[in-house]
Amino acid sequence: MLALNNIEVVYDGVILVLRGVSLFAEEGCITTLLGANGAGKTTTLKAISGLLRSERGEVTKGTIELDGERLDRLPPHDVVKRGVTQVFEGRRVFENLTVEENLVAGAHTRSDFARVREGIGRVYDVFPPLKERRQPERRLVEEIFGIVRRLREEQRLTVLLVEQNAALALDIADHGYVMENGRIVLEGPAATLRQNSDIKEFYLGLNEAGARKSYRDVKHYKRRKRWLS
Ligand SMILES: Nc1ncnc2c1ncn2[C@@H]1O[C@H](COP(=O)(O)OP(=O)(O)OP(=O)(O)O)[C@@H](O)[C@H]1O
Ligand SMILES: [Mg+2]
């Protein structure tokens, strides 16, 4: 349903960051995009949501399509209207607003307030901690993943997931891509990627026997390891 066809992204007119990326997020599936720091994951998401332009980035080649319709020429608000939403990493919320006010702000593309209310009610239903205004906890990521999985099952939500924790990401994903230096270097069903020895070592920090390597070993390995030369 969401297709990136050989896209190239350039920042500031000169910095080539994505070098011909093709990936597909199938309807009702969770697709994960893995990659080391600086590989181009966030750039990929911003290319999809149209937010690149506010960072002086541009899709200079290829196409991004949603059910066959070009997205890469649309402004971000039109992309959102088609049901494609980028959920930001980190704490990209309005700090001075309450949880509820943040949710109202997030619904700004809807003009019917009764429907906004209804939507917020649904958010509280699927994610009760928000209602309790609980402070985020360490285990929150897993809780969110559980909810994403449920939404996929119940509402056929289509997800393109970028998450630092590759083990968790591959656990809930159906399909995965690995990005290195602005290119896709590996792709496959999540179950297959979980078994891939490079993935195990590079992202999961496990050795052949499945034992966890020390962080130092992994870091050292990361410096040497290149998926493609
Ligand atoms: N606004 C920008 N202008 C110029 N270069 C940028 C800009 N944003 C990102 N880059 C560069 O593009 C490359 C990819 O960055 P990106 O943020 O997409 O990587 P990432 O895979 O999301 O990394 P991380 O895991 O650290 O979040 C990096 O080399 C980065 O320095
Ligand atoms: Mg990023």
Side-chain angles (χ1 to χ4, degrees), residues 98-101 103 117-133:
T98 64
V99 167
E100 181 123 344
E101 285 164 346
L103 290 171
R117 273 270 134 239
E118 198 185 287
I120 289 174
R122 267 204 310 278
V123 169
Y124 287 150
D125 283 346
V126 289
F127 201 31
L130 276 184
K131 195 166 191 175
E132 297 153 20
R133 295 177 194 203

Side-chain angles (χ1 to χ4, degrees), residues 52-94:
L52 264 186
R53 266 156 273 164
S54 59
E55 306 216 6
R56 289 183 296 162
E58 204 189 339
V59 178
T60 46
K61 271 191 195 155
T63 60
I64 301 175
E65 293 172 11
L66 181 73
D67 295 327
E69 186 198 4
R70 285 285 285 269
L71 287 188
D72 52 281
R73 300 265 159 81
L74 299 178
H77 58 267
D78 282 336
V79 174
V80 166
K81 275 186 197 151
R82 282 161 178 75
V84 179
T85 306
Q86 181 176 357
V87 180
F88 288 95
E89 57 201 317
R91 303 193 185 99
R92 304 286 177 89
V93 294
F94 299 107

Side-chain angles (χ1 to χ4, degrees), residues 188-205:
T192 309
L193 293 183
R194 271 200 298 273
Q195 297 310 316
N196 179 294
S197 58
D198 281 341
I199 297 254
K200 276 189 187 167
E201 195 154 3
F202 195 49
Y203 289 107
L204 310 182

Side-chain angles (χ1 to χ4, degrees), residues 11-12 15 17 35-44 55 89 164:
Y11 284 112
D12 292 315
I15 308 165
V17 170
N37 290 345
K41 305 180 296 294
T42 301
T43 299
T44 304
E55 306 216 6
E89 57 201 317
Q164 295 296 337

